[in-house]
Structure formats: C-alpha cells, structure tokens
Amino acid sequence: MTLTVSRQRAGQQEYDPLLLWPALALLMLGLVMVYSASIATAEGSKFTGHQSVYFLIRHAVFLAVGLISAAVVFQMPLRFWQKVAPWLFLGGIALLVLVLIPHVGRSVNGSQRWLPLGVVNLQPSELMKLFAVLYAADYTSRKLADMGSFMRGFVPMAAVMLLVGFLLLREPDFGAFVVIIAIAMGILFLGGINVRIFSALVLVLLVGFVVLIWVSPYRRERIFGFMDPWQDAFGKGYQLSHALIAFGRGEWFGVGLGASVEKLFYLPEAHTDFLLAVIAEELGFVGVVVVIGMFALLVQRAFVIGRQALVLDRIYSGLVAQGIGIWIGVQSFINMGVNMGLLPTKGLTLPLMSFGGSGIFANCVTLAILLRIDYENRLLMRGGRA
C-alpha cells in the first residue's frame, strides 16, 4: 500500500525537485565562486589580457553550452544510450590514445591531458567518466547471468578497464583513474558480482595503488606532503598548507563573498582544484556544510532513482543512475578530502562547480541522463511507456 501511494505521488510530477534544484544551485554557486576565486589570477595574467572577467565569461559559456546540451540529451531515451554505449566507450579510448600523441595532445604542468580545439581544450578523461558509466552498466546488464563467474563476468571488464587505466596513467591522471575504477567496480558490485571475487579484487587494487604510489617519486612526495604539509610549507606542502589556512580564516560564517586573501596568488588552482577552500574562506563552515549537503542529496537521489528503476525491471537504467551516484560521490569526496587535508593532493575538480569546460559539459549531460531515467520511471508509474 505504501509503495503504491509513493509511486502515485512520484508519477504526478515530471521531475524530481530534490535532484533538479540542488544541481542547479551547485551550478549557479559554482559560477559565482569561480568568478570570485579567479579575479586576481585573471587580472595578473597576460594570457587573459588582464581582464578580471576572463574566467567568468568562459565558465558562463561552458555552462550555457552544457545546459543546452543537457536539454537535448534529456530528449533521448535510455535505450538509445544503451545501444551506443560500447561505441562511445571505444571513442573515449581513441581520444585517450590521441591525447598522448606528441604535438597533438597539449601538456600543462607536466601532464598531457588536453586536446586543443581552437579556442577551447577538450579533456578526454572527463568524457571517459560518463562513457565508463554507460558501458559498465550495459556490460553488467548483459552479463547478469555470468556475474558469479571470474572468467566470463569479471575478466572482460577488467581487461578494458586496465587498458583505460594504462592510458590515464600515461598522461598521467591518477585521479581520473581512481574515479573510473570506482565506477566500474561499483556497478559490477551492484550488478551482483561474486562477493569473493569482489573482495579479492579490492585487495589487489589496494596493493596496486600502493605500488603505483611507491614507484612514482612525485606521487610519493605528494603522500609525504599530505602527511605533514607544514614540514615543507613552501615546497611540496604549499597547496595544502594554504588550503588549510583558507579553511581556518573562514571560521563559522566566512570573511565575506569576494574577500578571500588566499586567492590572491597564494593558493594555486583556486578556481579549479581548490575552489572549496575559497568557499570555506569566504562563506565559512556554514557554506561548506551547505555544499556538502547538496552533493550528499544528489548522490542519495541518484541511488533512489536507480533503485526505482530496478524495481520497475529497468536494469540498465538503474545501474546507470547508481553509477552516476558513485561518480559524483567519489569525485566530490576526493576533491573535498584534498581541500581539507584528509587525502593526498590530486588533480580532481569539484563536480558541477570548478572551472573547466569538459568537466562542466560532462556533468550537465550526466545530470540530464539521470533526470531522463527519473522521467521514464515516472512515466511507467503512471502506466505509460518509457
């Protein structure tokens, strides 16, 4: 009886307000905070023409393109995404190969992660996160009967993810590698992979991460800098120490919007990787809690929508929704953990908020797919066809 009533109530609306409004709020707050965090950098750089609104305008354009694309994507049924998922995944692998070709991919700060496309740069790893969700959900929904088999259920997925991981580590982009592996592993787990296989795999991955960190000098330095950033506050602990200073200055209610000191050439990447630190300084503990709460709500709604789809026997849609929840949850958790000094420094942006065209575009399209899943769920609850 209760389930029937909840279905009727859900079916009366065209969308989930607890998903749509927090997502739009994060996008709009991100636009404001990117402007606030980037003013000093934009005014002090010859590359931007010393224009204070340089990053604001670009971020607004990226956001507009992302929202328009999201409106188009929302019209596409999930069966379309399931049909093209393998091809999108192959296209993503091709882009990851292309970005590694000398004089084709663009290198910034020692990382070759971008493809120059005239006035913008494409970051294939951002698109690959979405493609990994779509492909892993398609693979798992097709292989449900084989999820208990190591050779038939796990090995094929492991092989393609190892290929993706190899390409990402060549850039290097360890952060994207962690997120994509988390997406694939999470969807396999939700799809019913054998618990023994999953447990053994988690152990192997942990050992593998330790090895990857140990054999790479720059990753080791980041780990040691994270453990005690004040030991070398002007060297390997520079970013983290200034992020922590920003959190400390913000106290409960912040120093006021636009009044951050750390963004004045003290905190590197203030409008990208360390945007949360600027939020903490300007909006305080309360502002950070609000941001965390909205991300938590998005993740919770993604899993609720996914569970509804599974109840309606829409396996692929349910796994895609929950995969999106894993993606947003893992990436936002890592970014926040880095900003707060809980995790080693990684080059991961805060979803929906940080500056970056590829990331904002991928996030908007992903949310449109999630809203479409919810929309199709509601159609079925009303007795219609998805």
Coordinates of all heavy atoms in Angstrom, one line a residue, residues 71-139:
A71 N 19.6 19.8 -22.3 CA 18.2 19.9 -22.7 C 18.0 18.9 -23.9 O 16.9 18.3 -24.1 CB 17.8 21.3 -23.1
V72 N 19.0 18.9 -24.8 CA 18.9 18.0 -26.0 C 19.0 16.5 -25.5 O 18.2 15.6 -25.9 CB 20.0 18.3 -27.0 CG1 20.0 17.3 -28.1 CG2 19.8 19.7 -27.6
V73 N 20.0 16.2 -24.6 CA 20.2 14.8 -24.2 C 19.0 14.3 -23.4 O 18.7 13.1 -23.5 CB 21.5 14.8 -23.3 CG1 21.5 13.5 -22.5 CG2 22.7 15.0 -24.1
F74 N 18.3 15.2 -22.7 CA 17.1 14.8 -21.9 C 16.0 14.2 -22.8 O 15.2 13.3 -22.4 CB 16.5 15.9 -21.2 CG 15.3 15.6 -20.3 CD1 15.4 14.9 -19.1 CD2 14.0 15.9 -20.8 CE1 14.3 14.6 -18.4 CE2 12.9 15.6 -20.0 CZ 13.1 14.9 -18.8
Q75 N 16.0 14.5 -24.1 CA 15.0 14.0 -25.0 C 15.3 12.6 -25.5 O 14.4 11.9 -26.1 CB 14.9 14.9 -26.3 CG 14.7 16.4 -26.0 CD 13.5 16.7 -25.1 OE1 12.4 16.1 -25.4 NE2 13.6 17.6 -24.2
M76 N 16.5 12.1 -25.2 CA 16.9 10.8 -25.7 C 16.6 9.7 -24.7 O 17.0 9.8 -23.6 CB 18.4 10.8 -26.0 CG 18.9 11.8 -27.0 SD 20.6 11.9 -27.3 CE 20.8 13.2 -28.5
P77 N 15.9 8.7 -25.1 CA 15.5 7.6 -24.2 C 16.8 6.8 -23.8 O 17.8 6.8 -24.5 CB 14.5 6.7 -25.0 CG 14.9 7.0 -26.4 CD 15.3 8.5 -26.5
L78 N 16.7 6.1 -22.7 CA 17.8 5.3 -22.2 C 18.2 4.2 -23.1 O 19.4 3.7 -23.2 CB 17.6 4.8 -20.8 CG 18.2 5.7 -19.7 CD1 19.7 5.6 -19.7 CD2 17.7 7.1 -19.7
R79 N 17.2 3.7 -23.9 CA 17.6 2.6 -24.8 C 18.6 3.1 -25.9 O 19.4 2.3 -26.4 CB 16.3 2.0 -25.5 CG 15.5 3.0 -26.2 CD 14.3 2.3 -26.9 NE 13.4 3.2 -27.6 CZ 12.4 4.0 -27.1 NH1 12.2 3.8 -25.8 NH2 11.7 4.8 -27.8
F80 N 18.5 4.4 -26.2 CA 19.5 4.9 -27.2 C 20.9 4.9 -26.6 O 21.8 4.5 -27.2 CB 19.1 6.4 -27.5 CG 20.2 7.1 -28.2 CD1 20.4 7.0 -29.5 CD2 21.1 8.0 -27.5 CE1 21.5 7.6 -30.2 CE2 22.1 8.7 -28.1 CZ 22.3 8.5 -29.5
W81 N 21.0 5.3 -25.3 CA 22.3 5.3 -24.7 C 22.9 3.9 -24.5 O 24.1 3.6 -24.6 CB 22.3 6.0 -23.3 CG 22.0 7.4 -23.5 CD1 20.8 8.1 -23.1 CD2 22.8 8.4 -24.0 NE1 20.9 9.4 -23.5 CE2 22.1 9.7 -24.0 CE3 24.1 8.4 -24.5 CZ2 22.7 10.9 -24.4 CZ3 24.7 9.6 -25.0 CH2 24.0 10.8 -24.9
Q82 N 22.0 2.9 -24.2 CA 22.5 1.5 -24.1 C 23.0 1.0 -25.5 O 23.9 0.3 -25.5 CB 21.3 0.6 -23.6 CG 21.8 -0.8 -23.4 CD 20.7 -1.7 -22.6 OE1 19.6 -1.3 -22.5 NE2 21.2 -2.8 -22.1
K83 N 22.3 1.4 -26.5 CA 22.7 1.0 -27.9 C 24.1 1.5 -28.3 O 24.9 0.8 -28.9 CB 21.7 1.4 -28.9 CG 21.9 0.9 -30.3 CD 20.8 1.4 -31.3 CE 19.4 0.9 -30.8 NZ 18.4 1.3 -31.8
V84 N 24.3 2.8 -27.9 CA 25.6 3.5 -28.4 C 26.7 3.4 -27.3 O 27.8 3.8 -27.6 CB 25.4 4.9 -28.7 CG1 24.3 5.0 -29.8 CG2 24.9 5.7 -27.5
A85 N 26.4 2.8 -26.1 CA 27.4 2.8 -25.0 C 28.7 2.2 -25.4 O 29.8 2.7 -25.2 CB 26.8 2.1 -23.8
P86 N 28.8 1.0 -26.1 CA 30.1 0.4 -26.5 C 30.8 1.3 -27.5 O 32.1 1.4 -27.4 CB 29.7 -0.9 -27.1 CG 28.3 -1.3 -26.6 CD 27.6 0.0 -26.4
W87 N 30.1 2.0 -28.4 CA 30.8 2.8 -29.3 C 31.3 4.1 -28.7 O 32.4 4.6 -29.1 CB 29.8 3.2 -30.5 CG 29.3 1.9 -31.2 CD1 28.0 1.4 -31.1 CD2 30.0 1.1 -32.1 NE1 28.0 0.2 -31.8 CE2 29.2 0.0 -32.5 CE3 31.3 1.1 -32.5 CZ2 29.6 -1.0 -33.3 CZ3 31.8 0.1 -33.4 CH2 30.9 -0.9 -33.8
L88 N 30.6 4.6 -27.8 CA 31.1 5.8 -27.0 C 32.3 5.4 -26.2 O 33.3 6.2 -26.2 CB 30.0 6.3 -26.1 CG 28.8 7.0 -26.7 CD1 27.7 7.4 -25.7 CD2 29.2 8.2 -27.5
F89 N 32.3 4.2 -25.6 CA 33.5 3.8 -24.9 C 34.7 3.6 -25.8 O 35.8 4.0 -25.4 CB 33.1 2.5 -24.2 CG 34.2 2.0 -23.1 CD1 34.2 2.7 -21.9 CD2 35.0 1.0 -23.4 CE1 35.2 2.3 -21.0 CE2 36.0 0.6 -22.5 CZ 36.0 1.3 -21.3
L90 N 34.5 3.0 -26.9 CA 35.6 2.9 -27.9 C 36.1 4.3 -28.3 O 37.3 4.5 -28.5 CB 35.2 2.1 -29.1 CG 35.0 0.6 -28.9 CD1 34.4 -0.1 -30.1 CD2 36.3 -0.1 -28.5
G91 N 35.1 5.2 -28.6 CA 35.5 6.6 -28.9 C 36.3 7.2 -27.8 O 37.3 8.0 -28.1
G92 N 35.9 7.0 -26.6 CA 36.7 7.5 -25.4 C 38.1 7.0 -25.4 O 39.1 7.7 -25.1
I93 N 38.3 5.7 -25.6 CA 39.6 5.1 -25.7 C 40.5 5.7 -26.8 O 41.6 6.1 -26.6 CB 39.5 3.6 -25.9 CG1 38.9 2.9 -24.6 CG2 40.9 3.0 -26.2 CD1 38.7 1.4 -24.7
A94 N 39.8 6.0 -27.9 CA 40.5 6.6 -29.1 C 41.0 8.0 -28.7 O 42.1 8.4 -29.0 CB 39.6 6.6 -30.3
L95 N 40.2 8.7 -28.0 CA 40.6 10.1 -27.5 C 41.7 10.0 -26.5 O 42.6 10.9 -26.6 CB 39.4 10.8 -26.9 CG 38.3 11.2 -27.9 CD1 37.1 11.8 -27.1 CD2 38.8 12.3 -28.9
L96 N 41.7 9.0 -25.6 CA 42.8 8.9 -24.7 C 44.1 8.5 -25.4 O 45.2 8.9 -24.9 CB 42.4 7.8 -23.6 CG 41.3 8.1 -22.7 CD1 41.0 7.0 -21.7 CD2 41.6 9.4 -21.8
V97 N 44.0 7.8 -26.4 CA 45.2 7.5 -27.2 C 45.7 8.7 -28.0 O 46.9 9.1 -28.0 CB 45.0 6.4 -28.2 CG1 46.1 6.2 -29.2 CG2 44.7 5.0 -27.5
L98 N 44.7 9.5 -28.5 CA 45.1 10.6 -29.3 C 45.8 11.7 -28.5 O 46.7 12.4 -28.9 CB 43.8 11.2 -29.9 CG 43.9 12.3 -31.0 CD1 44.7 11.7 -32.2 CD2 42.5 12.8 -31.4
V99 N 45.3 11.9 -27.2 CA 45.9 12.9 -26.4 C 47.3 12.6 -26.0 O 48.1 13.6 -25.6 CB 45.0 13.1 -25.1 CG1 45.4 12.0 -24.1 CG2 45.2 14.5 -24.5
L100 N 47.8 11.4 -26.1 CA 49.1 11.0 -25.8 C 50.1 11.2 -27.0 O 51.3 11.1 -26.8 CB 49.2 9.6 -25.3 CG 48.5 9.3 -24.0 CD1 48.5 7.8 -23.7 CD2 49.1 10.1 -22.8
I101 N 49.6 11.4 -28.2 CA 50.4 11.6 -29.3 C 51.2 12.9 -29.3 O 50.6 13.9 -29.1 CB 49.6 11.5 -30.6 CG1 48.9 10.1 -30.7 CG2 50.5 11.7 -31.9 CD1 48.0 10.0 -31.9
P102 N 52.5 12.9 -29.4 CA 53.3 14.1 -29.3 C 52.8 15.1 -30.4 O 52.5 14.8 -31.5 CB 54.7 13.7 -29.6 CG 54.8 12.2 -29.2 CD 53.4 11.7 -29.5
H103 N 52.8 16.4 -30.0 CA 52.3 17.5 -30.8 C 50.8 17.5 -31.1 O 50.4 18.3 -31.9 CB 53.1 17.6 -32.1 CG 54.6 17.5 -31.9 ND1 55.3 18.5 -31.2 CD2 55.6 16.6 -32.3 CE1 56.6 18.2 -31.2 NE2 56.8 17.1 -31.8
V104 N 50.1 16.5 -30.6 CA 48.7 16.5 -30.7 C 48.0 16.9 -29.4 O 47.2 17.8 -29.3 CB 48.2 15.1 -31.2 CG1 46.6 15.1 -31.3 CG2 48.7 14.8 -32.6
G105 N 48.4 16.1 -28.4 CA 47.9 16.5 -27.0 C 48.6 17.6 -26.5 O 49.8 17.9 -26.8
R106 N 48.0 18.4 -25.6 CA 48.6 19.6 -25.0 C 49.1 19.3 -23.6 O 48.3 18.7 -22.8 CB 47.6 20.7 -25.0 CG 48.2 22.0 -24.4 CD 47.1 23.1 -24.3 NE 47.7 24.3 -23.6 CZ 46.9 25.3 -23.2 NH1 45.6 25.3 -23.3 NH2 47.5 26.4 -22.6
S107 N 50.3 19.7 -23.3 CA 50.8 19.4 -22.0 C 50.8 20.7 -21.1 O 51.2 21.8 -21.6 CB 52.3 18.9 -22.1 OG 52.9 18.7 -20.8
V108 N 50.3 20.5 -19.9 CA 50.3 21.6 -18.9 C 50.8 21.1 -17.6 O 50.3 20.1 -17.1 CB 48.9 22.2 -18.7 CG1 48.8 23.3 -17.7 CG2 48.3 22.7 -20.1
N109 N 51.8 21.8 -17.0 CA 52.4 21.4 -15.7 C 52.8 20.0 -15.7 O 52.6 19.3 -14.7 CB 51.4 21.7 -14.6 CG 51.1 23.2 -14.5 OD1 51.9 24.0 -14.7 ND2 49.8 23.5 -14.0
G110 N 53.4 19.5 -16.8 CA 53.9 18.1 -16.8 C 52.9 17.0 -17.1 O 53.2 15.9 -17.2
S111 N 51.6 17.4 -17.3 CA 50.5 16.4 -17.6 C 50.0 16.7 -19.0 O 49.6 17.8 -19.3 CB 49.4 16.5 -16.6 OG 49.9 16.2 -15.3
Q112 N 49.9 15.6 -19.8 CA 49.4 15.7 -21.2 C 48.0 15.2 -21.2 O 47.7 14.0 -21.5 CB 50.3 15.0 -22.1 CG 50.0 15.3 -23.6 CD 51.2 14.9 -24.5 OE1 52.3 15.0 -24.1 NE2 50.9 14.4 -25.7
R113 N 47.0 16.1 -20.9 CA 45.6 15.6 -20.7 C 44.6 16.3 -21.6 O 43.4 16.0 -21.6 CB 45.1 15.9 -19.3 CG 46.0 15.3 -18.2 CD 45.5 15.7 -16.8 NE 46.4 15.2 -15.8 CZ 46.2 15.5 -14.5 NH1 45.2 16.3 -14.1 NH2 47.1 15.0 -13.6
W114 N 45.0 17.2 -22.5 CA 44.1 18.1 -23.2 C 44.4 18.0 -24.7 O 45.5 17.8 -25.2 CB 44.2 19.5 -22.8 CG 43.8 19.7 -21.4 CD1 42.6 20.1 -20.9 CD2 44.7 19.6 -20.2 NE1 42.6 20.2 -19.5 CE2 43.9 19.9 -19.1 CE3 46.1 19.3 -20.0 CZ2 44.4 19.9 -17.8 CZ3 46.6 19.3 -18.7 CH2 45.7 19.6 -17.6
L115 N 43.3 18.1 -25.5 CA 43.3 18.2 -26.9 C 42.9 19.6 -27.3 O 41.8 20.0 -27.1 CB 42.4 17.2 -27.6 CG 42.8 15.7 -27.5 CD1 41.6 14.8 -28.0 CD2 44.0 15.4 -28.3
P116 N 43.8 20.4 -27.9 CA 43.5 21.7 -28.3 C 42.5 21.8 -29.5 O 42.7 21.2 -30.5 CB 44.8 22.4 -28.7 CG 45.7 21.2 -29.0 CD 45.2 20.0 -28.2
L117 N 41.4 22.4 -29.3 CA 40.3 22.6 -30.3 C 40.0 24.0 -30.5 O 38.9 24.5 -30.3 CB 39.0 21.8 -29.9 CG 39.2 20.3 -29.6 CD1 37.8 19.8 -29.1 CD2 39.6 19.6 -30.8
G118 N 41.0 24.7 -31.0 CA 40.9 26.2 -31.3 C 40.8 27.0 -30.0 O 41.8 27.0 -29.2
V119 N 39.6 27.5 -29.7 CA 39.5 28.4 -28.5 C 39.3 27.6 -27.2 O 39.3 28.2 -26.1 CB 38.3 29.4 -28.7 CG1 38.6 30.3 -29.9 CG2 37.0 28.6 -28.9
V120 N 39.1 26.3 -27.3 CA 38.9 25.5 -26.1 C 39.8 24.3 -26.1 O 40.3 23.9 -27.2 CB 37.4 25.0 -26.0 CG1 36.5 26.2 -25.8 CG2 37.0 24.2 -27.2
N121 N 39.9 23.7 -25.0 CA 40.7 22.4 -24.9 C 39.7 21.3 -24.4 O 39.0 21.5 -23.4 CB 41.8 22.6 -23.9 CG 42.9 23.6 -24.4 OD1 43.3 23.5 -25.5 ND2 43.3 24.5 -23.5
L122 N 39.8 20.2 -25.0 CA 39.0 19.0 -24.6 C 39.8 18.1 -23.7 O 40.9 17.8 -24.1 CB 38.5 18.3 -25.9 CG 37.8 16.9 -25.6 CD1 36.4 17.2 -24.9 CD2 37.6 16.2 -26.9
Q123 N 39.2 17.7 -22.6 CA 39.9 16.8 -21.7 C 39.2 15.5 -21.8 O 38.1 15.3 -21.2 CB 39.9 17.3 -20.2 CG 40.7 16.5 -19.3 CD 40.9 17.1 -17.9 OE1 40.4 18.3 -17.7 NE2 41.5 16.5 -17.0
P124 N 39.7 14.5 -22.5 CA 39.0 13.2 -22.8 C 38.7 12.5 -21.5 O 37.7 11.7 -21.5 CB 40.0 12.4 -23.6 CG 40.8 13.5 -24.3 CD 41.0 14.6 -23.3
S125 N 39.5 12.6 -20.5 CA 39.2 11.8 -19.2 C 37.9 12.2 -18.6 O 37.2 11.4 -18.0 CB 40.4 12.0 -18.2 OG 40.5 13.4 -17.9
E126 N 37.4 13.5 -18.8 CA 36.2 13.9 -18.2 C 35.0 13.2 -19.0 O 34.0 12.7 -18.3 CB 36.0 15.4 -18.3 CG 36.9 16.2 -17.4 CD 36.6 16.0 -16.0 OE1 35.5 15.6 -15.6 OE2 37.5 16.2 -15.1
L127 N 35.1 13.1 -20.3 CA 34.1 12.4 -21.0 C 34.1 10.9 -20.8 O 33.1 10.2 -20.7 CB 34.3 12.6 -22.5 CG 34.2 14.1 -23.0 CD1 34.4 14.2 -24.5 CD2 32.9 14.7 -22.6
M128 N 35.3 10.4 -20.5 CA 35.5 8.9 -20.3 C 34.8 8.5 -19.0 O 34.4 7.3 -18.9 CB 37.0 8.6 -20.2 CG 37.3 7.1 -20.4 SD 36.8 6.5 -22.0 CE 36.9 4.8 -21.8
K129 N 34.6 9.4 -18.0 CA 33.9 9.0 -16.8 C 32.5 8.7 -17.2 O 31.9 7.7 -16.7 CB 34.0 10.1 -15.8 CG 35.4 10.4 -15.3 CD 35.5 11.7 -14.5 CE 36.9 12.1 -14.1 NZ 37.0 13.4 -13.5
L130 N 31.8 9.5 -18.0 CA 30.5 9.3 -18.4 C 30.4 8.0 -19.3 O 29.5 7.1 -19.1 CB 29.9 10.5 -19.2 CG 28.6 10.3 -19.9 CD1 27.5 9.9 -18.9 CD2 28.2 11.5 -20.7
F131 N 31.3 7.9 -20.2 CA 31.3 6.7 -21.1 C 31.5 5.4 -20.2 O 30.9 4.4 -20.6 CB 32.4 6.8 -22.1 CG 32.3 8.0 -23.1 CD1 33.4 8.4 -23.8 CD2 31.1 8.6 -23.2 CE1 33.2 9.5 -24.7 CE2 30.9 9.7 -24.0 CZ 32.0 10.1 -24.8
A132 N 32.3 5.5 -19.2 CA 32.6 4.3 -18.3 C 31.3 3.9 -17.6 O 31.0 2.7 -17.5 CB 33.7 4.6 -17.3
V133 N 30.5 4.9 -17.2 CA 29.2 4.6 -16.5 C 28.3 3.9 -17.5 O 27.7 2.8 -17.2 CB 28.5 5.9 -16.0 CG1 27.1 5.6 -15.6 CG2 29.3 6.5 -14.9
L134 N 28.1 4.5 -18.7 CA 27.2 3.9 -19.7 C 27.7 2.5 -20.1 O 26.8 1.6 -20.2 CB 27.1 4.8 -20.9 CG 26.6 6.2 -20.6 CD1 26.7 7.1 -21.9 CD2 25.2 6.2 -20.2
Y135 N 29.0 2.3 -20.3 CA 29.5 1.0 -20.8 C 29.4 0.0 -19.7 O 29.0 -1.2 -19.9 CB 30.9 1.1 -21.3 CG 31.5 -0.2 -21.7 CD1 31.1 -0.9 -22.9 CD2 32.4 -0.9 -20.9 CE1 31.6 -2.1 -23.2 CE2 32.9 -2.1 -21.2 CZ 32.5 -2.7 -22.4 OH 33.0 -3.9 -22.7
A136 N 29.8 0.3 -18.5 CA 29.8 -0.7 -17.4 C 28.4 -1.1 -17.1 O 28.2 -2.3 -16.8 CB 30.5 -0.1 -16.1
A137 N 27.4 -0.2 -17.1 CA 26.0 -0.6 -16.9 C 25.5 -1.5 -18.0 O 24.8 -2.5 -17.7 CB 25.2 0.7 -16.8
D138 N 25.9 -1.2 -19.3 CA 25.5 -2.0 -20.4 C 26.1 -3.4 -20.3 O 25.4 -4.5 -20.4 CB 25.9 -1.4 -21.7 CG 25.6 -2.3 -22.9 OD1 24.5 -2.7 -23.1 OD2 26.6 -2.6 -23.6
Y139 N 27.4 -3.5 -20.0 CA 28.1 -4.8 -19.8 C 27.5 -5.6 -18.7 O 27.2 -6.8 -18.9 CB 29.6 -4.5 -19.5 CG 30.3 -5.8 -19.2 CD1 30.9 -6.5 -20.2 CD2 30.5 -6.2 -17.9 CE1 31.6 -7.7 -19.9 CE2 31.2 -7.4 -17.6 CZ 31.8 -8.1 -18.6 OH 32.4 -9.3 -18.3

